[in-house]
């Protein structure tokens, strides 16, 4: 009983940390999310809402994340 009183706050912090990590992974490495961001970025560029330099920089970042996400997906298939 006393053990639970002392470990409960720690377990809660661990669960919150895991949830935050899941959300970060989704934001950074979810293929569908990255694809949507790429489409949105292209639309902004076509509507002249962002300049060439910003577009290329953001596109490069998203494409790098997409490659990492694809590699992670392939690794999961082989596990």
């Amino acid at each position: 009983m006393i053990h639970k009183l002392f470990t409960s706050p720690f377990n809660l912090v661990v669960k919150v940390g895991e949830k935050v990590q899941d959300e970060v992974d989704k934001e950074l490495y979810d293929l569908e999310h990255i694809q949507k961001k790429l489409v949105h970025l292209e639309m902004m560029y076509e509507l002249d809402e962002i300049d060439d330099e910003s577009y290329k920089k953001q596109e490069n970042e998203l494409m790098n994340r997409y490659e990492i996400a694809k590699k992670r997906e392939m690794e999961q298939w082989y596990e």
Side-chain angles (χ1 to χ4, degrees):
M1 176 92 173
I2 292 176
H3 181 266
K4 285 185 180 181
L5 286 173
F6 289 111
T7 60
S8 289
F10 179 73
N11 291 337
L12 181 62
V13 169
V14 169
K15 286 182 183 185
V16 169
E18 289 171 349
K19 181 66 175 168
V20 169
Q21 183 65 47
D22 290 344
E23 291 299 315
V24 168
D25 283 347
K26 180 179 179 185
E27 174 72 24
L28 292 177
Y29 303 116
D30 180 67
L31 290 171
E32 185 177 336
H33 185 77
I34 295 169
Q35 290 169 338
K36 286 179 183 179
K37 284 188 166 268
L38 281 166
V39 168
H40 184 258
L41 179 66
E42 188 171 343
M43 288 173 55
M44 289 175 56
Y45 179 70
E46 288 176 2
L47 295 171
D48 291 325
E49 293 178 7
I50 58 173
D51 61 21
D52 255 4
E53 185 179 336
S54 295
Y55 173 76
K56 289 177 183 178
K57 181 181 175 185
Q58 291 180 47
E59 181 188 37
N60 189 38
E61 179 185 319
L62 288 168
M63 291 305 294
N64 287 336
R65 285 174 34 197
Y66 186 85
E67 286 180 30
I68 293 168
K70 266 309 219 190
K71 286 178 186 176
R72 291 174 88 179
E73 182 182 69
M74 294 301 288
E75 289 171 1
Q76 288 178 350
W77 275 93
Y78 290 118
E79 288 179 359

